[in-house]
């Protein structure tokens, strides 16, 4: 089970780009990297997923170096509504019926006006 | 369309009482997960269903915890003889496929407080 390490908290001003880095030194060959976002009193929400290099969608980008031992979630021009906890997870895309998603404590991002 | 719903949203129980928490997943979703989230912590896996089959219950903390999904849709998490350490938010998630990496859609959770 590949576990992850993230900063506990980060602060950013509105309009800035935020980069949250996650370490996953024991990532396995078949593991994907997935990021979820959680607002207070809500369940987590899927943001983005990748395996290698770079993935971009309408809300974020995910950068994964060649060794895949870390990944960086990039949020462009954050707003106050991006204040949330962000979780980095790694898991085997080929296993079924397995619980190998470890959320950890996540990174609490606070966007300041 | 409707997302994952959970009921009740809040539950207060006296120590020793039994509680039942309900999860209505997104229609057609094969996989269903239960998580426990303590204050300030990330969700921790409890159990996993693929249709009606409970394929993994390794995260259930004790034999007081029991989950079922008899018809492969609605699921119930039951906690018997509740203890104060059971106080947490219980999250349910469903996903369309069977890979753990399929996007999981979470419900709002049930906040359980055991007095």
């Amino acid at each position: 089970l590949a576990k992850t390490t993230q900063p506990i908290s980060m602060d950013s001003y509105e309009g800035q780009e935020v980069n949250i880095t996650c370490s996953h030194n024991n990532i396995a060959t078949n593991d994907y990297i997935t990021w979820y976002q959680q607002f207070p009193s809500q369940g987590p929400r899927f943001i983005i997923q990748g395996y290698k290099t770079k993935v971009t969608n309408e809300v974020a980008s995910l950068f994964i170096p060649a060794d895949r031992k870390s990944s960086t979630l990039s949020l462009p021009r954050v707003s106050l509504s991006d204040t949330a906890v962000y979780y980095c997870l790694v898991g085997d895309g080929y296993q079924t019926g397995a619980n190998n998603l470890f959320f950890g404590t996540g990174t609490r991002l606070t966007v300041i006006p | 369309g409707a997302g994952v719903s959970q009921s009740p949203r809040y539950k207060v129980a006296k120590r020793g009482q039994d509680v039942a928490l309900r999860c209505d997943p997104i229609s057609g979703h094969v996989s269903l997960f239960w998580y426990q989230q303590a204050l300030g912590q990330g969700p921790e896996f409890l159990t996993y269903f693929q249709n009606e089959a409970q394929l993994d219950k390794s995260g259930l903390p004790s034999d007081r915890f029991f989950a079922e999904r008899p018809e492969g849709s609605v699921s119930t998490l039951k906690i018997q003889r509740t203890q104060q350490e059971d106080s947490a938010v219980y999250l349910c998630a469903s996903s369309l496929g069977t890979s753990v990496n399929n996007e999981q859609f979470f419900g709002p959770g049930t906040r359980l407080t055991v007095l």
Side-chain angles (χ1 to χ4, degrees):
Chain A
L1 175 59
K3 293 194 175 180
T4 60
T5 303
Q6 308 174 232
I8 294 175
S9 64
M10 295 180 68
D11 294 338
S12 175
Y13 287 102
E14 271 192 294
Q16 289 189 329
E17 177 184 79
V18 170
N19 296 308
I20 306 174
T21 297
C22 177
S23 297
H24 27 80
N25 292 318
N26 296 323
I27 191 168
T29 303
N30 293 333
D31 283 344
Y32 283 71
I33 300 158
T34 309
W35 286 78
Y36 280 81
Q37 174 192 55
Q38 186 175 26
F39 298 113
S41 301
Q42 295 186 24
R45 184 181 69 150
F46 175 95
I47 302 175
I48 197 167
Q49 184 181 83
Y51 182 79
K52 63 180 180 181
T53 63
K54 176 184 175 183
V55 179
T56 297
N57 62 23
E58 62 276 8
V59 298
S61 295
L62 179 59
F63 298 92
I64 305 169
D67 66 5
R68 303 199 328 120
K69 292 184 182 299
S70 67
S71 59
T72 299
L73 173 72
S74 180
L75 304 173
R77 300 179 298 281
V78 294
S79 64
L80 296 177
S81 62
D82 293 316
T83 294
V85 178
Y86 293 81
Y87 296 98
C88 164
L89 298 81
V90 296
D92 185 339
Y94 297 96
Q95 280 189 302
T96 61
N99 66 317
N100 58 341
L101 283 184
F102 175 73
F103 277 81
T105 55
T107 297
R108 183 174 299 277
L109 172 66
T110 302
V111 180
I112 305 165
Chain B
V4 177
S5 61
Q6 293 185 246
S7 61
R9 289 294 313 277
Y10 304 92
K11 177 68 178 178
V12 178
K14 292 183 179 179
R15 191 164 55 117
Q17 284 185 330
D18 298 348
V19 298
L21 313 180
R22 176 187 170 108
C23 171
D24 284 80
I26 294 173
S27 178
H29 276 196
V30 170
S31 297
L32 186 145
F33 302 80
W34 282 99
Y35 294 87
Q36 180 189 62
Q37 186 169 25
L39 189 64
Q41 303 296 315
E44 292 192 4
F45 170 85
L46 293 177
T47 187
Y48 164 71
F49 288 87
Q50 188 177 115
N51 296 309
E52 69 279 5
Q54 188 175 21
L55 298 187
D56 189 343
K57 54 182 180 179
S58 62
L60 296 176
S62 77
D63 58 7
R64 296 185 295 103
F65 287 71
F66 172 77
E68 60 183 4
R69 194 187 185 197
E71 298 179 359
S73 55
V74 172
S75 177
T76 303
L77 176 67
K78 298 179 180 178
I79 309 174
Q80 297 176 325
R81 305 181 304 281
T82 53
Q83 304 295 314
Q84 286 187 325
E85 61 263 28
D86 300 333
S87 295
V89 174
Y90 291 86
L91 295 164
C92 173
S94 69
S95 66
L96 185 60
T98 57
S99 167
V100 71
N101 284 304
N102 288 145
E103 178 179 352
Q104 293 188 26
F105 294 83
F106 283 80
T110 294
R111 181 177 297 279
L112 172 65
T113 303
V114 181
L115 303 176

